[in-house]
Amino acid sequence: MKTFQWTMQDELGLHARVAGELVKCVSQLSSKVTLEKGGKTADATRLFAVMALCVRQGEVVTVTVEGPDEERDCAVVQDFCSHNF
Amino acid sequence: MKMPEHQMHLIRGVATSGGVAMGHVHLLRHHPRHIAFTEAADPEAELRRAEQARDKARRELQDLGETSSREIGPECGQIFLIHQMMLDDRDYWDSVVRVIRARRTCAEYAVQQATRQFTAMFSGMEDTYMRARMADVQDIGNRLLRALNQAQASFPPFPEKGGVAAARYFLPSQVLELCAQGVQGFLAQEGSRSSHAAILARMLGVPAVSALGASFSRLFNGCTVIADGFTGDVLIDPDDASRETYGAFLRAEKGERELVGQLSGLPSQTRGGRRVAILAGIWQPSDLDLALRMGAEGVGLYRTESLFRDRPDIPGEEEQMRVYRSMVNLLGDRPLTVCAASLGAHSQITCLPFDEEQNPAMGLRGVRYSLRHPELLRTQLRAVLRAAEGRSVSVTFPMVTSAEEFRLARAALSRAEDELRAEGLPFGKVPLGVMIGTPAAALIAEELAREADFFTVSMNGLTQFALAVDRANQSVSTIYDYRHPAVIELARRAVFAAKNAGIPAVICGDAAADPLMLGFFLGLGVDALVVAPSSVLELRRAVRAMQ
């Protein structure tokens, strides 16, 4: 299991377009990717669940990547986050 | 008997899309009609119907996304792409399936229940942005219902071309449909600037006032209103004076719209077939929207000082990269030229220390300042390089007076590239330009042209420094003249040098928008003109009128 944290930079928070792109990105991976914020978790392949976390600017989200390819997949998600948030 | 006095009412909401609408109000019912529970003989058959409807809705959204992206803009296409993803959300669909199976009911009822569940989730959120997503869920629910049952069109045709639509809130596809039917404006009881309906209204240039709240009930079918999408004011039964004021505004705007309609999609090309790109010069990322609406073929000069203004700290690499990236995302294939931040005592910036200067216009500014503060330059170059991945982004340096300065700037770019490579961060190739804004640069243009990837000839800079005149100083402003032979000669040298070296020459400054200068610039062979967004179409008209 790999985890990392990222801070939401976008002023609109984790808004629909970026949430959609995240879901698209994660759906192509074999690992199970989970987002956690303030005790609430969301499967990152589920758009509504991700949006329901209601991540705002400045908030920290913990990303967990689990699976046989977690090393590689975690790098992909990290790269996505650094590009989009 | 005395007639009752004419009574005008003013109600106020939030201005969510600029412009003015004057017309009759038509109140629209927003909800699809309630679907009563019906028992289904064969729930599995209902499931198949629901899946077929989802396939149909998905195809519609794909078409809508592609068409609207092409015809209105990529941001619009993205809205319907998000709708597609919402439609395919597993939790939403699981909910539809669960209702059909558990309650042995029809597909329509299940879609209604699932949609209600998810709209309730969003409308219960505290965050305004997230609450606005409720309308998106409602929209896909309606689309599914329409796909299930052709007769249940959720939006009846709008009764009057030129009327003003009023509703509790609007759905994104409803906005597209209503605009296609010639609606003049939108009035909503709820809603915010971040709702997709408001974003679409802005992209389509249709005024909207939202969040009218309780005063929304003052509106009735057929009443005349003036909706001011700039201020959020809505006048009900406006008096003659208001009608006249707003009427004059609307007539002027109509003239401008006609210009946009005629020219925004056409190439900037003379009758003889000579093409010149008309690019926008902008000071804020938010100006880009207007620039694109006005038909700019890209951004020829983005002045980045605004990034540093009105803040206590210096914007970091990530923050700058996000700004540049959001711009290239809107620009698509169109180019962006970032002007390296020209900071200095003249720039009214509070997040950086400046020494008091006697004559800041000729002081430590532009590339001089950048080279003296390598950290600031490094941050900006790294951010631009990263945003340039797969895009057409370039950087130009102002206030260059020697080839050495430009070589140092180029070296800073190479170092930033090396760093990013070592860190494994992706980046794009960024051409570097010299801004020819000092007479010195124009006079050594041949040498500079061997080093630079392009020239940005700043007519304002050349005029100011060649004539030694501050145009903001009223007592000498009559001397400021970009048609002065000395200025013309400097510009000619610069463009000639660029053309001889085979690099693009771009003109910026007030002269670029002057139709009387156009023949001169085209004759020299300039590749692009950089003007304010509001001048793009006038200039295009002038280009197209030339032989």
Side-chain angles (χ1 to χ4, degrees):
Chain A
M1 189 178 83
K2 303 265 299 171
T3 71
F4 68 93
Q5 293 199 317
W6 50 267
T7 310
M8 177 53 54
Q9 312 267 8
D10 198 295
E11 62 175 312
L12 280 179
L14 184 47
H15 58 85
R17 182 175 55 77
V18 180
E21 280 164 16
L22 175 69
V23 167
K24 240 196 313 190
C25 163
V26 168
S27 300
Q28 287 160 2
L29 308 176
S30 62
S31 305
K32 181 174 166 52
V33 181
T34 314
L35 310 183
E36 188 267 336
K37 188 204 93 176
K40 279 204 299 184
T41 58
D43 176 345
T45 60
R46 295 175 179 237
L47 181 64
F48 283 138
V50 171
M51 288 173 72
L53 283 182
C54 204
V55 183
R56 298 196 196 123
Q57 185 176 31
E59 291 185 327
V60 179
V61 176
T62 307
V63 184
T64 309
V65 184
E66 277 180 281
D69 291 325
E70 60 191 26
E71 197 81 29
R72 199 195 54 202
D73 289 351
C74 185
V76 172
V77 181
Q78 248 175 324
D79 182 59
F80 177 88
C81 291
S82 68
H83 268 71
N84 288 281
F85 306 115
Chain B
M1 194 179 90
K2 202 172 165 230
M3 291 293 285
E5 282 285 319
H6 179 90
Q7 190 72 49
M8 172 170 81
H9 290 292
L10 166 66
I11 59 175
R12 286 216 164 101
V14 175
T16 47
S17 175
V20 170
M22 185 163 10
H24 296 123
V25 163
H26 296 278
L27 293 167
L28 306 178
R29 282 168 44 82
H30 60 289
H31 280 306
R33 64 166 194 271
H34 175 74
I35 299 161
F37 176 83
T38 324
E39 202 172 307
D42 181 1
E44 293 307 310
E46 290 301 311
L47 210 57
R48 284 192 295 280
R49 280 185 66 228
E51 267 155 22
Q52 279 162 8
R54 180 162 68 152
D55 291 341
K56 181 166 185 286
R58 195 184 297 119
R59 280 195 302 276
E60 284 175 10
L61 284 169
Q62 270 160 3
D63 287 348
L64 197 55
E66 282 165 25
T67 330
S68 61
S69 179
R70 197 170 54 239
E71 289 172 7
I72 306 167
E75 208 185 335
C76 179
Q78 273 167 357
I79 292 174
F80 295 104
L81 195 70
I82 291 163
H83 280 202
Q84 267 183 68
M85 299 188 71
M86 287 180 162
L87 182 70
D88 282 324
D89 181 76
R90 271 189 291 154
D91 293 323
Y92 177 65
W93 201 250
D94 284 353
S95 172
V96 173
V97 173
R98 204 169 42 243
V99 176
I100 292 179
R101 286 208 171 121
R103 304 199 56 193
R104 300 185 63 81
T105 184
C106 63
E108 286 88 344
Y109 181 79
V111 166
Q112 169 184 270
Q113 297 307 102
T115 307
R116 282 186 182 169
Q117 180 195 333
F118 282 83
T119 48
M121 175 184 98
F122 281 112
S123 59
M125 286 188 182
E126 255 177 60
D127 189 271
T128 322
Y129 174 83
M130 284 298 167
R131 234 182 5 248
R133 304 288 73 82
M134 184 262 287
D136 294 296
V137 184
Q138 183 79 60
D139 207 4
I140 57 165
N142 283 7
R143 189 174 293 284
L144 274 171
L145 290 177
R146 264 203 312 270
L148 278 165
N149 182 356
Q150 293 292 350
Q152 196 181 32
S154 62
F155 316 129
F158 195 69
E160 184 197 355
K161 196 170 182 300
V164 175
R168 211 177 109 202
Y169 56 85
F170 291 95
L171 308 179
S173 29
Q174 189 181 19
V175 170
L176 286 192
E177 271 186 41
L178 288 169
C179 289
Q181 291 176 37
V183 160
Q184 284 276 314
F186 296 99
L187 298 175
Q189 185 174 2
E190 301 169 5
S192 65
R193 275 186 73 81
S194 54
S195 76
H196 282 153
I199 293 172
L200 286 172
R202 288 200 291 279
M203 297 199 74
L204 289 158
V206 178
V209 177
S210 306
L212 284 160
S215 50
F216 183 83
S217 61
R218 292 249 190 163
L219 298 167
F220 54 93
N221 253 331
C223 70
T224 300
V225 290
I226 294 175
D228 185 332
F230 300 111
T231 61
D233 286 354
V234 179
L235 304 173
I236 304 171
D237 286 330
D239 56 22
D240 289 344
S242 307
R243 281 170 198 261
E244 206 157 296
T245 317
Y246 280 105
F249 171 84
L250 284 171
R251 279 191 299 279
E253 201 198 28
K254 188 162 172 272
E256 191 186 303
R257 263 180 211 229
E258 279 170 4
L259 194 65
V260 174
Q262 284 162 11
L263 290 165
S264 66
L266 294 176
S268 311
Q269 184 174 335
T270 64
R271 288 161 191 244
R274 165 87 163 83
R275 286 287 282 265
V276 60
I278 300 183
L279 309 173
I282 61 175
W283 296 83
Q284 315 271 355
S286 53
D287 298 338
L288 182 56
D289 186 43
L290 177 68
L292 292 179
R293 253 186 310 156
M294 291 293 151
E297 291 156 64
V299 171
L301 203 59
Y302 163 41
R303 302 267 189 184
T304 48
E305 291 79 32
S306 68
L307 291 172
F308 296 81
R309 214 157 271 158
D310 302 324
R311 57 184 294 155
D313 57 334
I314 297 163
E317 177 178 329
E318 295 291 325
E319 183 183 341
Q320 287 194 44
M321 183 188 68
R322 275 195 309 280
V323 172
Y324 306 142
R325 196 166 271 162
S326 68
M327 292 174 74
V328 293
N329 283 343
L330 280 179
L331 279 161
D333 301 333
R334 290 164 286 209
L336 167 68
T337 299
V338 174
C339 184
S342 177
L343 305 171
H346 69 293
S347 57
Q348 297 157 5
I349 282 160
T350 48
C351 64
L352 291 162
F354 296 110
D355 294 330
E356 211 42 50
E357 289 187 27
Q358 273 271 302
N359 187 353
M362 295 193 180
L364 189 63
R365 60 182 286 205
V367 72
R368 307 167 180 179
Y369 186 88
S370 304
L371 295 175
R372 194 73 71 83
H373 296 84
E375 262 313 298
L376 286 176
L377 180 60
R378 170 176 174 265
T379 304
Q380 186 165 36
L381 290 176
R382 282 176 56 108
V384 172
L385 280 163
R386 290 175 63 191
E389 187 196 353
R391 304 298 187 138
S392 170
V393 185
S394 51
V395 170
T396 188
F397 283 94
M399 284 298 279
V400 169
T401 52
S402 71
E404 181 57 17
E405 281 170 333
F406 185 73
R407 278 194 287 269
L408 289 170
R410 164 97 60 204
L413 183 80
S414 304
R415 278 197 301 278
E417 286 175 341
D418 291 344
E419 285 173 20
L420 292 173
R421 211 172 285 122
E423 292 163 35
L425 288 169
F427 61 91
K429 191 173 157 36
V430 171
L432 279 197
V434 169
M435 202 144 160
I436 308 284
T438 62
L443 295 170
I444 59 161
E446 278 178 23
E447 189 188 355
L448 290 170
R450 285 194 292 272
E451 310 264 346
D453 299 315
F454 64 95
F455 276 179
T456 311
V457 182
S458 164
M459 293 299 289
N460 288 2
L462 288 179
T463 311
Q464 169 168 247
F465 291 118
L467 304 181
V469 61
D470 173 6
R471 83 178 151 153
N473 181 341
Q474 284 206 344
S475 47
V476 290
S477 63
T478 51
I479 304 170
Y480 184 92
D481 176 14
Y482 52 69
R483 293 186 204 144
H484 189 291
V487 180
I488 295 288
E489 173 57 17
L490 291 169
R492 186 198 65 77
R493 271 176 180 251
V495 178
F496 258 51
K499 293 287 97 185
N500 282 336
I503 60 170
V506 180
I507 303 287
C508 71
D510 300 332
D514 182 349
L516 294 176
M517 294 289 283
L518 192 54
F520 168 65
F521 291 136
L522 290 182
L524 285 180
V526 307
D527 298 273
L529 298 162
V530 181
V531 298
S534 56
S535 301
V536 170
L537 292 175
E538 283 292 351
L539 185 59
R540 180 164 301 151
R541 176 152 64 184
V543 169
R544 292 178 64 83
M546 283 192 72
Q547 283 303 321

